[in-house]
Amino acid sequence: MNELAQVRIGIIGLGYVGLPLAVEFGKIYPTIGFDLNEARIDELRRGTDATLEVSDEELREAHLLEFTAEDQHIRTCNVFIVAVPTPIDAAKRPNFKPLEGASRTVAKVLKKGDVVVFESTVYPGATEEVCVPLLEQGSGLTYNQDFFCGYSPERINPGDKQHRLPSIVKITSGSTPEIARFVDALYKTIITAGTFPASSIKVAEAAKVIENTQRDVNIALINELALIFERLDINTGEVLAAAGTKWNFLPFRPGLVGGHCIGVDPYYLTHKAQEVGYHPNMILAGRRLNDNMGHYIAATVIKKMIKKGIDTATSKILVMGLTFKENCPDLRNTRVIDILSEFTEYGIEVDVYDPWVSSEEAVKEYGVSLVQSLDKDTYSAVVIAVAHRQFTEISITDLRRLCKEKAVIYDVKGLYPRDQVDGCL
């Protein structure tokens, strides 16, 4: 174990989670940020962050931070923090390839006394079942004898400028009591909100994965209520406002559930549950319902177009927003793509407009070519899929100017009064 005065940190993965960590630690400790993406390294060395999570000024303030794409450059580090994505595959099973690759990278430079802390979201037990064997195999060292591990789950909320890394309570844990105290002390130096030491790595892993599973199940309930109220011709927003007057009613709203956490994490937990012989009914039911919302929205828009006598075969639809949430450029696991896929299956031409996303990134991730400007009298339907602040500034009158005489406006995010649009969740 290393005392804080001798700490030299290596951050593995410089995305939405890793970069803020690198910046905060780089203000206090010699820190090396490592990422395989050389273009990302070049960008950060120039002092700018395309994810917009860290400002140019914040990058300058991290005067002890340097960046590299060469794993040999992190050989001098004695604390490694792994913050790589943990996505799911096409069959909705955990995809550990990035985490396994990061573990192998660390293993190549691991030395006696080093500590490896994982921040990536996993199922309970994954750190010691998946990562530790790779560290031992690649380094020739023995776990909890020659090197040690910790787990401190990320709680980054992309695009949120109020809840930043230092102001979010951090769960910490370690593979031995001594390492647990060290990991906790290390994070306390950058987390002003304080830390919560968990009793074990497994407890910390489980705490993280249920945070977003709980949100997913609650949103699934509200989505199902919205589907019911649609058939009863009741305004879901008005119902939620009325019910929300009770002190213990939880303020969830219907919508698309995507992103790198809520739409993914439950599958890690359900995978492990099934592995040990338990079939999680509620969690998977909520996942199925939330995963189907994009298809439901698209089908509803098409039905409304047909009812208005609009020929869908010759129509063009505008989808406003592609990111998984408002006011950030993050495209990971966006469920807006489900809406686009459904329209495409019906043979309908679709324009996608999102001022937060680079055209190159949209094409690379989803094969979607964004439009850069919007023409009047063009669209037979408009779907407001993401509540970017630029969209909140568009009046309903200006929105209707983009439409043909007969058109459907469907407001997924509830930006406009219900009586001014043709449909909403």
Side-chain angles (χ1 to χ4, degrees):
M1 186 185 73
N2 303 279
E3 297 302 326
L4 293 181
Q6 283 77 47
V7 161
R8 184 174 177 84
I9 298 174
I11 306 291
I12 315 302
L14 296 173
Y16 286 86
V17 174
L19 183 61
L21 275 171
V23 166
E24 292 304 322
F25 279 122
K27 296 174 183 177
I28 304 172
Y29 307 102
T31 302
I32 302 176
F34 170 84
D35 199 288
L36 293 172
N37 186 339
E38 293 187 8
R40 175 68 165 160
I41 295 300
D42 291 341
E43 163 196 307
L44 294 172
R45 283 173 174 168
R46 292 194 302 269
T48 188
D49 169 31
T51 71
L52 306 180
E53 287 302 300
V54 173
S55 69
D56 294 358
E57 182 180 354
E58 287 171 320
L59 278 171
R60 288 193 296 271
E61 289 173 352
H63 59 284
L64 297 177
L65 173 62
E66 54 186 288
F67 300 104
T68 185
E70 301 292 333
D71 53 31
Q72 292 305 309
H73 292 169
I74 59 173
R75 186 174 291 278
T76 58
C77 298
N78 49 29
V79 174
F80 300 92
I81 300 178
V82 177
V84 296
T86 43
I88 52 176
D89 63 19
K92 302 188 186 304
R93 296 170 301 195
N95 176 2
F96 281 124
K97 287 183 180 178
L99 191 58
E100 289 169 346
S103 298
R104 291 189 180 98
T105 295
V106 173
K108 287 190 286 186
V109 298
L110 199 61
K111 307 174 299 300
K112 283 191 175 183
D114 288 355
V115 177
V116 187
V117 182
F118 293 89
E119 292 225 354
S120 306
T121 302
V122 292
Y123 55 69
T127 297
E128 292 172 300
E129 294 168 12
V130 176
C131 303
V132 166
L134 293 174
L135 293 173
E136 288 186 316
Q137 179 184 339
S139 67
L141 301 176
T142 302
Y143 177 51
N144 277 344
Q145 178 178 312
D146 299 321
F147 74 93
F148 307 88
C149 285
Y151 184 78
S152 182
E154 61 91 4
R155 282 176 163 173
I156 295 293
N157 187 24
D160 189 339
K161 299 308 178 186
Q162 180 179 356
H163 301 98
R164 307 295 302 280
L165 173 65
S167 62
I168 304 171
V169 173
K170 202 85 165 70
I171 297 172
T172 64
S173 64
S175 55
T176 69
E178 185 182 12
I179 292 301
R181 288 190 292 271
F182 167 74
V183 172
D184 190 64
L186 178 64
Y187 277 101
K188 274 182 177 174
T189 61
I190 65 166
I191 305 297
T192 57
T195 60
F196 183 93
S199 61
S200 68
I201 287 176
K202 275 189 177 181
V203 168
E205 292 168 325
K208 167 57 181 177
V209 81
I210 71 164
E211 289 176 13
N212 290 314
T213 300
Q214 182 189 66
R215 286 183 57 78
D216 192 43
V217 169
N218 277 286
I219 296 170
L221 171 62
I222 302 302
N223 275 336
E224 187 160 61
L225 293 176
L227 303 185
I228 295 170
F229 295 147
E230 165 82 13
R231 287 159 175 76
L232 297 175
D233 195 28
I234 300 174
N235 186 327
T236 302
E238 292 178 1
V239 173
L240 294 176
T245 59
K246 189 179 181 187
W247 71 91
N248 59 354
F249 186 83
L250 301 176
F252 289 93
R253 296 195 61 81
L256 298 169
V257 183
H260 64 298
C261 286
I262 302 180
V264 172
D265 294 358
Y267 287 120
Y268 275 76
L269 182 58
T270 56
H271 171 84
K272 188 62 178 179
Q274 290 169 329
E275 194 176 77
V276 296
Y278 179 79
H279 182 77
N281 295 298
M282 179 185 291
I283 297 171
L284 286 175
R287 275 283 74 235
R288 286 192 295 272
L289 199 150
N290 284 340
D291 277 347
N292 194 52
M293 289 305 292
H295 301 291
Y296 166 80
I297 290 166
T300 301
V301 170
I302 291 169
K303 288 177 185 176
K304 289 180 179 294
M305 291 172 70
I306 293 171
K307 284 183 180 180
K308 281 197 173 188
I310 299 170
D311 182 6
T312 57
T314 59
S315 297
K316 182 183 284 190
I317 295 177
L318 172 65
V319 174
M320 298 176 64
L322 182 60
T323 60
F324 89 88
K325 64 178 293 187
E326 66 275 4
N327 303 325
C328 80
D330 197 345
L331 289 175
R332 289 174 296 174
N333 193 37
T334 175
R335 298 306 357 133
V336 177
I337 202 70
D338 296 336
I339 300 175
L340 305 182
S341 298
E342 194 79 2
F343 286 148
T344 301
E345 282 189 25
Y346 279 92
I348 302 173
E349 186 178 355
V350 184
D351 279 355
V352 183
Y353 176 68
D354 193 320
W356 283 84
V357 177
S358 76
S359 297
E360 295 79 9
E361 192 71 14
V363 171
K364 177 184 174 183
E365 291 295 323
Y366 299 105
V368 174
S369 297
L370 301 178
V371 296
Q372 302 303 315
S373 60
L374 302 175
D375 298 324
K376 295 179 181 178
D377 305 318
T378 301
Y379 302 105
S380 297
V382 175
V383 178
I384 303 107
V386 186
H388 290 317
R389 63 170 179 262
Q390 290 92 334
F391 299 163
T392 66
E393 296 167 357
I394 300 174
S395 69
I396 192 66
T397 301
D398 289 338
L399 198 59
R400 291 205 175 276
R401 288 195 181 105
L402 302 174
C403 301
K404 293 184 175 180
E405 185 176 350
K406 284 196 298 186
V408 169
I409 295 179
Y410 194 90
D411 185 7
V412 176
K413 303 302 293 185
L415 299 186
Y416 301 98
R418 184 184 176 91
D419 59 1
Q420 294 182 10
V421 297
D422 299 286
C424 61
L425 282 180

